[in-house]
Every structure is written in structure tokens, then in C-alpha cells.
Amino acid sequence: MIRLEKITLREIRLTLKEPFRISSGMVTERRIALLELQDAGGATAWSECVAGEWPNYSSEAIDTAWVAITHWVAPRVLGIGFSSPGDVSGALARDFRGHNMAKAAVEMGIWALAAEIDGVPLARLIGGTRAEIETGISLGIQPTPEVLVEKARAALALGYRKVKIKIEPGRDVEYLRAARQALGPGAPLMADANNAYTLADADRLRELDDLNLMMIEQPLACDDLVRHAELQRLLRTPICLDESITGVDRAEDMITVGSGRIVNIKPGRVGGFAESVAIHDLCARHGIPVWCGGMLESGIGRAYNVALASLPNFTIPGDVSPSARYWERDLVSPEWTMDIGGRIRVPLERVGLGVEIDVERINQLTVRAETLRVA
Ligand code: OSB
Ligand code: MG
């Protein structure tokens, strides 16, 4: 039985090593919400809310998540006994629309708390089977194709198993063609448009078919499964959906209408681990491969992504890069590292998240905090 007694919510600031630009916006300094959950028995676990600074990726942002957690999510779990962490997502879904990233921060924290209490690694608790996961890199939009080629070449030399290239109209075919020519026919390349196109761009997107990309991620609007299906019929390259898949029902719709052939699972986007595992299982039954996306997480959020990516149908390298890709110094030790084969080890020899949290450092970086208790 788990019963939360207290949640401490904080905002920290963490500067990225380099600005990250996607079609809908740019970030240089992350504003990250961290949670520390405490069980009535005294066990604690840290979690991270992946909402960004602006509502450009989804309708959520750190400021809306803060309100959602303090006003609506925390009161639904504080002081309530849950016999299993799998029961939390249902309790958060009832008569409570949206705010998936706010819900996920709490739901996933409760999974980590359960792992602490049971004395097992988080990855094992959620059904992970891999001892290491394969890693890709997500490269933001670059000023020129030449700069992109150099970054992609360097990433492959470091061992990354997938290079994702952000695109937008005007910075697409030329950039990807340059990367394909420079890196060779076998380089594992893909594109991510973050909703920047419409069906009127279909001819442009069809030019990408010649470049043998692993997939093109979320070319059209986040809520538009119908036009993604039309586009998929025009393309040989598989479409992968990210923003569109906000829960297992949307994944089922995608499969039914043929809006894509691959799913990017970000646990924050879908409301947590229970929903992520449901999507994973549904996709496995339908022969749809999945991979774990990223939201420029600190080492705390990354621990959850590593655990999730250890499930068996995560057969494509995820956007789960090592700490040093993002930060001069991470919030956890050991930091997340990748070997020259592009693999990150799942910390199966340790209980819970599998990393030590640098609380002193977090205290220094904290710009606001709020403690939530049983009413
Ligand atoms: O679309 O996958 C995306 C980061 C912020 C918002 C959206 C996306 C991304 C990434 C970064 O691609 C992946 C990472 O964390 O390395
Ligand atoms: Mg994406």
C-alpha cells in the first residue's frame, strides 16, 4: 500500500550546453519542475515534470503544470491509499481532462516510490527486459546544411545509433540531402517536423522518400490523424507520431486509420507509465515498433525514460541521450553515459531510479518551491 504524505514541488533553472531549436520555438535555459514525493512510511522518490517553458509542443507549460499539480493532481493522491501504482492513472483520469504532463510527474513518481518500497529497480517494476538501451540524438534546426552535417557526423562518431534532424519548411530537403550525401546510404537518419507542414506540402515531403529515412516524425498538426493517414498513403517513408499520441486510444486510432507506422512514446505526454505501457503493449500486438522520445530532461526525468525504454517493444533507438549531451553537469550521479556502441546501461543493480540525486545542487538551482500536504 502506498499513501503519499507530502509532495515538494520546485522549479530549477538549468542552462543547455547549446540552444535547441525546433520548428515551433527555441530554448536555451530549461525551467524544470522537480517533485519530491514522500510516502507515509517515510520512503521518498524524485520525479520531473517534462512540460516546457512555452505551450508550443503541447498546450502544457511549466506554469500550467504547476497550477495543475498544486490545485488538482496532488489533492487526488495525497493521503489516499493505492494498493498498486497502476491504480493512480485511473484515479487521475476521472473527470479531469488533459494536463498529462502534470499527471505524469506524480504518477511516475509513485511508480518510483513503489520501486523504493519494494526494493526493486524501477525498470523491473514496469516490465523492462533489457539491460541496456540503444541511444539516438535529436539535433535542433541548424543555421546551414554544413553545420548540420558536422554535428551529425560527430554524433555518429560518438556511437549514436540514430540521428534525428529537426526540419521546417525551407530547412528540410536540402538539409537532409546534404546529411545523406555526407554520411552515406546506411547512416540511420530521420526527420522531425513538430507539426510544421500541411497536406499542401505533400509534394515537398515526397522528395524525402528518395533519402531512405528511418521515418518522418509528426509532419502535420498534433490533432490531425485523418490527414496523417492521407499523407502516409502518399509516402513510402514511415510516419512516426509524437504529439498526436496523447493516450492509448489515439494509438489505436492511428493504427485503425493508418496515420503512421511507428510511435514515439514520451511518458509525460501520455500521462505516465501505465498509459505508456498500454501503448507499448497495443503497438506490440499490432507489429508497430515504438521508441522513447525525450523532452530535454535532467538526469531525473531521464531515469524514467531509461526504465521505460527497457521494455521489449522499444526496438528503435530513443532520444535518450547521455547527460553530457545536454548539461555541463547533471543533477544525478553517476551521470547518464553512453558507450561507443550507443548504449546506455539500465541500472538494474540498484533500487528505484538507480541514480543518486544531488540535493545540494538542486537547492542551489531552485528558484521557487511549494510543499503540498494532506489537506
Ligand atoms: O519533438 O521530440 C520532440 C524536445 C523538446 C520538445 C519536443 C521534442 C524534443 C526533442 C528532444 O526532440 C529530444 C531529447 O530530449 O533529446
Ligand atoms: Mg518529436
Side-chain angles (χ1 to χ4, degrees):
M1 180 74 86
I2 298 176
R3 193 156 47 84
L4 280 191
E5 194 165 84
K6 187 171 96 172
I7 299 174
T8 308
L9 184 57
R10 316 152 173 263
E11 175 180 342
I12 63 156
R13 305 280 165 93
L14 210 53
T15 302
L16 288 161
K17 273 189 177 172
E18 55 181 62
F20 188 75
R21 194 158 97 69
I22 68 176
S23 60
S24 60
M26 181 166 99
V27 54
T28 53
E29 183 189 54
R30 291 289 338 273
R31 293 176 56 201
I32 299 175
L34 298 176
L35 287 71
E36 189 182 6
L37 298 86
Q38 190 179 316
D39 178 70
T44 63
W46 286 79
S47 71
E48 174 168 343
C49 179
V50 301
E53 294 69 31
W54 296 93
N56 59 326
Y57 168 80
S58 77
S59 62
E60 290 184 272
I62 179 172
D63 296 306
T64 70
W66 194 283
V67 169
I69 291 169
T70 55
H71 293 205
W72 307 308
V73 181
R76 285 240 179 149
V77 296
L78 283 166
I80 309 292
F82 291 98
S83 49
S84 155
D87 296 339
V88 175
S89 87
L92 293 177
R94 185 171 32 85
D95 300 330
F96 184 175
R97 313 277 168 262
H99 300 280
N100 284 357
M101 294 174 182
K103 291 172 176 172
V106 170
E107 196 256 10
M108 293 159 74
I110 293 175
W111 280 96
L113 206 47
E116 288 287 340
I117 293 168
D118 294 355
V120 297
L122 179 62
R124 283 284 184 252
L125 185 66
I126 63 170
T129 54
R130 297 167 196 280
E132 43 192 27
I133 61 162
E134 291 193 345
T135 302
I137 191 170
S138 174
L139 295 175
I141 294 172
Q142 303 297 322
T144 66
E146 292 71 31
V147 175
L148 169 67
V149 164
E150 281 330 300
K151 299 225 152 158
R153 197 195 297 282
L156 291 171
L158 283 172
Y160 284 105
R161 303 288 277 261
K162 183 184 83 189
V163 177
K164 166 164 132 179
I165 295 167
K166 294 287 187 179
I167 58 170
E168 65 183 2
R171 290 199 171 93
D172 43 30
V173 179
E174 186 198 354
Y175 281 63
L176 282 160
R177 192 175 287 138
R180 177 55 79 211
Q181 271 168 6
L183 304 170
L189 304 179
M190 64 167 287
D192 184 1
N194 290 106
N195 320 263
Y197 297 85
T198 71
L199 260 191
D201 301 309
D203 287 341
R204 183 89 185 147
L205 294 169
R206 278 172 71 167
E207 291 181 49
L208 297 176
D209 266 347
D210 296 332
L211 299 176
N212 194 28
L213 302 178
M214 298 168 77
M215 70 195 90
I216 169 167
E217 185 176 342
Q218 197 68 42
L220 308 180
C222 63
D223 52 3
D224 197 343
L225 290 168
V226 170
R227 288 171 191 77
H228 273 110
E230 287 183 50
L231 181 63
Q232 181 66 90
R233 284 194 286 275
L234 298 171
L235 294 179
R236 266 198 322 274
T237 309
I239 289 176
C240 167
L241 293 181
D242 172 356
E243 285 91 329
S244 291
I245 307 299
T246 49
V248 68
D249 291 348
R250 294 293 80 71
E252 203 171 290
D253 294 347
M254 178 202 95
I255 294 167
T256 302
V257 304
S259 323
R261 300 184 189 139
I262 299 173
V263 174
N264 164 335
I265 301 182
K266 295 181 182 173
R269 191 191 65 226
V270 304
F273 269 169
E275 198 74 9
S276 298
V277 172
I279 295 169
H280 166 274
D281 294 352
L282 173 83
C283 288
R285 288 197 296 279
H286 286 85
I288 303 275
V290 304
W291 53 279
C292 184
M295 291 293 287
L296 310 173
E297 289 92 345
S298 82
I300 294 174
R302 202 158 300 283
Y304 290 88
N305 289 345
V306 169
L308 183 64
S310 76
L311 269 70
N313 192 38
F314 282 83
T315 52
I316 296 173
D319 286 348
V320 188
S321 304
S323 301
R325 145 101 185 108
Y326 309 92
W327 321 112
E328 292 297 344
R329 191 174 145 207
D330 206 337
L331 309 176
V332 300
S333 63
E335 295 202 346
W336 296 100
T337 56
M338 176 180 85
D339 70 18
I340 195 64
R343 290 172 294 254
I344 290 183
R345 256 178 7 87
V346 183
L348 292 173
E349 70 290 349
R350 300 189 57 167
V351 165
L353 296 186
V355 283
E356 227 49 80
I357 312 293
D358 189 345
V359 179
E360 205 166 301
R361 175 107 197 290
I362 291 173
N363 283 335
Q364 288 163 2
L365 298 170
T366 297
V367 296
R368 59 170 164 162
E370 196 168 336
T371 301
L372 314 167
R373 295 175 189 277
V374 181

